[in-house]
Amino acid sequence: MSVSVSRREVAVLGFFWVMVVSIAVMTLVNLVGGPAAKPQPQAQATNAAGTEARIVQLEARLKVDPEDVETMVTLGDIYMDTRRAMEAFRLFQRAVELEPGHAHAQNDLAGLYQQIGQYDKALESYRRAYESQPEHSASLLNMALIYSRHKGEDAKALELLRKFLAGNPEAQLIATAEREIARIEQGMREPGNVSSNAQGTSH
């Protein structure tokens, strides 16, 4: 009888220590990686409130000066960040009406046109952005991507990509351009590929 009790005690004690160790490990994992990896609701609410306050401030400034292009562009960027694309679109469109050479507004407007498939309008706005500010070479990359992926004009895309790379852009953008060049050249080498020069031009 005593032997039987002793074995039960050993089994109970073993189970107890397994549970203690498991709880200790789980607690340690939560302390090290758990809470810090999750966004804090209070911080999110604070950021959202700050963004809304900034929007109210900029909207009030535009009521006082409806032709303040810099305020339009700043507010438009915030609208884009908060997924209010139509409001951003109206502001960028108004900004380029007032100041056609505003590269930032033209580039953001082009991006919105690109998102909705208005590629010709996107190309025009990217072109104006680049002409206004040649050091803003990302416009060339965006134009090249439209020509290669949506217009079927690989030769034009390659021309723009090489011009873009010659301008010493950021490393991340260089990688994107080089991947696109490799993709286009691979497609050109495939049997049955029709020359991009014969596929029509953009309007």
Side-chain angles (χ1 to χ4, degrees):
M1 188 72 163
S2 61
V3 173
S4 176
V5 171
S6 175
R7 286 177 178 169
R8 276 201 298 269
E9 288 176 348
V10 169
V12 169
L13 284 171
F15 178 76
F16 171 77
W17 283 111
V18 168
M19 291 299 295
V20 167
V21 171
S22 298
I23 291 170
V25 170
M26 289 173 63
T27 302
L28 183 61
V29 168
N30 285 332
L31 285 173
V32 172
K38 297 179 182 178
Q40 298 297 319
Q42 186 174 0
Q44 287 181 329
T46 301
N47 290 339
T51 298
E52 285 303 315
R54 181 67 172 148
I55 287 173
V56 169
Q57 180 187 42
L58 293 169
E59 287 176 339
R61 192 182 299 172
L62 276 180
K63 286 180 181 176
V64 174
D65 185 359
E67 297 190 354
D68 184 344
V69 171
E70 292 306 321
T71 297
M72 286 179 199
V73 173
T74 301
L75 182 56
D77 285 339
I78 295 175
Y79 281 154
M80 286 180 70
D81 290 341
T82 53
R83 301 182 184 279
R84 294 159 71 170
M86 286 305 299
E87 290 166 274
F89 179 81
R90 283 194 292 269
L91 284 175
F92 293 136
Q93 200 170 43
R94 178 61 177 152
V96 300
E97 286 173 3
L98 292 168
E99 194 176 326
H102 198 292
H104 186 153
Q106 287 283 10
N107 191 68
D108 286 350
L109 181 61
L112 290 170
Y113 277 131
Q114 187 173 352
Q115 287 179 25
I116 60 174
Q118 296 287 324
Y119 300 119
D120 291 329
K121 290 183 178 179
L123 285 169
E124 180 63 17
S125 288
Y126 281 134
R127 183 185 63 77
R128 289 183 178 180
Y130 179 71
E131 288 176 351
S132 300
Q133 192 176 335
E135 63 271 23
H136 189 63
S137 59
S139 299
L140 286 176
L141 176 59
N142 289 322
M143 283 191 285
L145 293 172
I146 291 175
Y147 277 119
S148 67
R149 300 187 176 209
H150 304 290
K151 305 292 287 180
E153 296 186 46
D154 291 338
K156 180 67 175 176
L158 285 174
E159 176 190 338
L160 291 171
L161 287 166
R162 288 170 181 143
K163 185 176 181 180
F164 167 76
L165 289 173
N168 299 312
E170 299 173 18
Q172 184 178 356
L173 297 180
I174 289 174
T176 300
E178 289 177 340
R179 283 195 301 270
E180 189 64 14
I181 288 173
R183 188 190 72 80
I184 292 170
E185 290 180 340
Q186 175 64 31
M188 288 179 162
R189 287 192 295 268
E190 290 177 359
N193 180 67
V194 179
S195 172
S196 60
N197 292 327
Q199 293 179 6
T201 57
S202 60
H203 300 289

